Amino acid sequence: MYTIGGSAGGTLSLSLARRILLGQSPLPKNAIKGVVSFVPSAFHPKNIPKQFKAEHTSLTDNATNAPFIDRSSVESCNDLCGLGPSDQEYLVGNDPESYKLFPPTYIATCEFDPLRDDGKIMARALKEAGVPVRYDHYDGLPHCFWFVPKLPETAVFMQNTVAGIEWVIEQIA
């Protein structure tokens, strides 16, 4: 089984994988074979771990005037979903002990996105924990830019998505 999602779905793809891997699901722990997560949230804006604070600037960089979502959008979503600063169930960045359990993971981020550094840091942290990781970043583009099909970058995103999914599948073949 694989999990895949973008934005809130990207957050869920990571959190569902974590739950399965920790045995918090009726599925066996080894049921999850790969994760694909586009522009996920992994940390709460009020609880960026100390070791990542200096490099986690996307919430400030994209606090206002960012296309699609900004810092207040992220905070509102967390509030509406009842996610507190220490939430581990959905914000997997708060559970570094689980990183080493993850299967091959593909993460993509965008420059003009308050969640940019969540994905970037998760990709690196998973890799440092020994997880095979593939990571793509889209400079100059906002959160979920691929929703605009006429952008030339959307075709590149789609090609990279197919390649990323194929890469995740190949890791266990």
Side-chain angles (χ1 to χ4, degrees):
M1 175 172 127
Y2 301 90
T3 60
I4 184 170
S7 192
T11 303
L12 291 173
S13 71
L14 292 169
S15 67
L16 177 61
R18 179 186 164 277
R19 288 187 71 165
I20 293 168
L21 295 163
L22 291 175
Q24 299 172 350
S25 156
L27 297 170
K29 290 180 184 182
N30 66 351
I32 188 79
K33 303 297 183 195
V35 176
V36 176
S37 184
F38 306 115
V39 296
S41 178
F43 304 101
H44 194 282
K46 295 179 182 168
N47 187 25
I48 306 301
K50 288 178 186 175
Q51 71 268 32
F52 304 133
K53 277 192 182 196
E55 68 182 292
H56 196 292
T57 63
S58 58
L59 283 164
T60 303
D61 297 345
N62 298 291
T64 59
N65 299 319
F68 301 134
I69 68 168
D70 58 14
R71 182 183 181 120
S72 68
S73 302
V74 173
E75 291 171 345
S76 293
C77 183
N78 285 338
D79 290 345
L80 289 169
C81 293
L83 302 180
S86 298
D87 184 281
Q88 291 184 338
E89 187 172 350
Y90 292 101
L91 301 174
V92 300
N94 287 333
D95 185 18
E97 292 300 313
S98 70
Y99 298 174
K100 64 185 176 289
L101 303 174
F102 270 73
T105 300
Y106 173 51
I107 296 176
T109 60
C110 301
E111 180 179 9
F112 297 126
D113 185 349
L115 301 177
R116 174 193 68 219
D117 295 335
D118 286 45
K120 178 179 79 173
I121 290 168
M122 280 307 303
R124 191 184 76 240
L126 290 171
K127 193 174 216 172
E128 289 172 357
V131 175
V133 174
R134 181 174 175 142
Y135 174 71
D136 283 322
H137 176 74
Y138 297 91
D139 286 325
L141 293 163
H143 182 85
C144 292
F145 70 89
W146 52 88
F147 287 179
V148 182
K150 293 195 182 243
L151 287 175
E153 295 87 353
T154 298
V156 173
F157 171 81
M158 295 307 223
Q159 291 169 348
N160 288 348
T161 295
V162 169
I165 292 169
E166 288 173 343
W167 175 85
V168 168
I169 292 168
E170 288 169 1
Q171 298 308 299
I172 61 151

